[in-house]
Amino acid sequence: MQLVTAAEMQKIDNYTIETIGMPQDVLIERAALAVVEVIGAGHFNLDHVLVLSGLGNNGADGVAIARLLYAQGINVSLQFVGNVARAKETVTRQLNIIENYGLVRAEKSDFNEATLIIDAIFGIGLNNILPEGLQKMIKAANHIEKTVIAVDVPTGIDATTGEVRGAALKAHTTVTFGYGKSGLNQHVGGYLSGNVIVKNIGLLTPPDFIFSCQIKDSAVAAV
Ligand SMILES: NC(=O)C1=CN([C@@H]2O[C@H](COP(=O)(O)OP(=O)(O)OC[C@H]3O[C@@H](n4cnc5c(N)ncnc54)[C@H](O)[C@@H]3O)[C@@H](O)[C@H]2O)[C@@H](O)CC1
Ligand SMILES: [K+]
């Protein structure tokens, strides 16, 4: 299994978008579809799905996942973590789409009511310790032991090193895109990411790309 660091994954993302010309929104849609496929294939309780979205592309994946679930008639709440006014354009575009679908964002959600939580707060872009308020929220969520599916990387885990940046949301399953991330295979990241499923979302790797990580045999499943 080929693993990558966050920086390597970002290079591959950029190559696919800028050199190959794949629109970023297509990758986001494919990432969301991949997560929805895993949700559908598992034995998850879908009575009330709570999607937690951040302000970057991981959050954009989350909004698209919420839309796809909503379109299937699933009871879904979408809650933002952070000030939406500061969200990336990819998120704003997804928010415009869901408005047209009639999916309304929740202002505040009761985690106890959720039967499944989708973690789309931070992915490979995490580069600092989590804000204190978010750390508290994550610790409270871990305490009630809800089933969590992490999008790409569990929030709070450094995708390269596997270290916890203040707090991390423990996942039952992590659906990661393109390649396994080195941080999901070592330190606490290995434990907190649960079952790791690698999904192909159409990313292309430059032909001369040099990977820094060794290929490891692991429990990571590639689909
Ligand atoms: N690059 C792309 O086009 C794609 C990205 N994808 C998704 O996008 C994710 C990466 O997206 P982003 O690079 O936007 O990053 P994230 O969505 O992981 O994080 C968003 C932003 O938060 C800021 N940030 C980092 N650490 C912080 C902290 N501790 N406190 C407050 N703010 C912090 C950074 O500016 C970062 O860019 C991937 O993990 C994957 O889920 C996929 O949709 C596939 C395509
Ligand atoms: K995440």
Side-chain angles (χ1 to χ4, degrees):
M1 176 66 54
Q2 179 64 61
L3 302 175
V4 293
T5 64
E8 286 168 343
M9 197 65 232
Q10 281 155 354
K11 278 187 194 152
I12 293 166
D13 283 349
N14 290 343
Y15 173 78
T16 305
I17 294 164
E18 283 157 26
T19 307
I20 299 297
M22 180 69 74
Q24 195 168 24
D25 290 346
V26 171
L27 294 175
I28 288 167
E29 195 72 14
R30 287 194 64 174
L33 283 164
V35 174
V36 169
E37 193 186 321
V38 170
I39 294 171
H43 297 282
F44 299 105
N45 181 340
L46 304 182
D47 286 350
H48 183 181
V49 182
L50 171 61
V51 180
L52 300 173
S53 276
L55 306 178
N57 291 330
N58 198 251
D61 295 345
V63 183
I65 292 164
R67 164 171 50 80
L68 291 167
L69 294 175
Y70 180 77
Q72 288 180 19
I74 290 168
N75 177 20
V76 56
S77 299
L78 170 65
Q79 192 191 322
F80 265 87
V81 175
N83 183 351
V84 179
R86 294 209 299 265
K88 278 191 177 174
E89 259 180 51
T90 48
V91 176
T92 314
R93 280 200 295 276
Q94 290 297 332
L95 284 174
N96 289 338
I97 299 171
I98 64 158
E99 201 174 310
N100 293 326
Y101 268 70
L103 172 58
V104 182
R105 278 192 284 128
E107 281 310 318
K108 205 167 186 223
S109 305
D110 183 353
F111 286 15
N112 282 302
E113 285 177 7
T115 55
L116 176 66
I117 294 175
I118 308 299
D119 164 15
I121 307 173
F122 285 113
I124 59 168
L126 184 73
N127 55 19
N128 208 337
I129 192 159
L130 294 181
E132 240 169 69
L134 180 54
Q135 287 189 37
K136 271 191 196 154
M137 193 188 102
I138 284 176
K139 284 172 188 165
N142 283 340
H143 188 67
I144 56 173
E145 295 186 347
K146 293 285 173 182
T147 305
V148 175
I149 296 181
V151 177
D152 210 18
V153 182
T155 290
I157 295 293
D158 184 305
T160 301
T161 65
E163 287 161 327
V164 173
R165 299 291 200 118
L169 191 50
K170 185 177 184 322
H172 170 281
T173 298
T174 297
V175 184
T176 200
F177 310 125
Y179 292 101
K181 312 301 178 293
S182 52
L184 305 182
N185 221 45
Q186 56 189 322
H187 286 290
V188 196
Y191 163 69
L192 290 178
S193 50
N195 306 319
V196 178
I197 299 171
V198 183
K199 283 287 200 180
N200 173 9
I201 61 164
L203 294 165
L204 289 186
T205 307
D208 53 352
F209 199 78
I210 297 167
F211 293 94
S212 64
C213 309
Q214 296 298 315
I215 297 174
K216 287 191 183 177
D217 282 336
S218 73
V220 173
V223 186

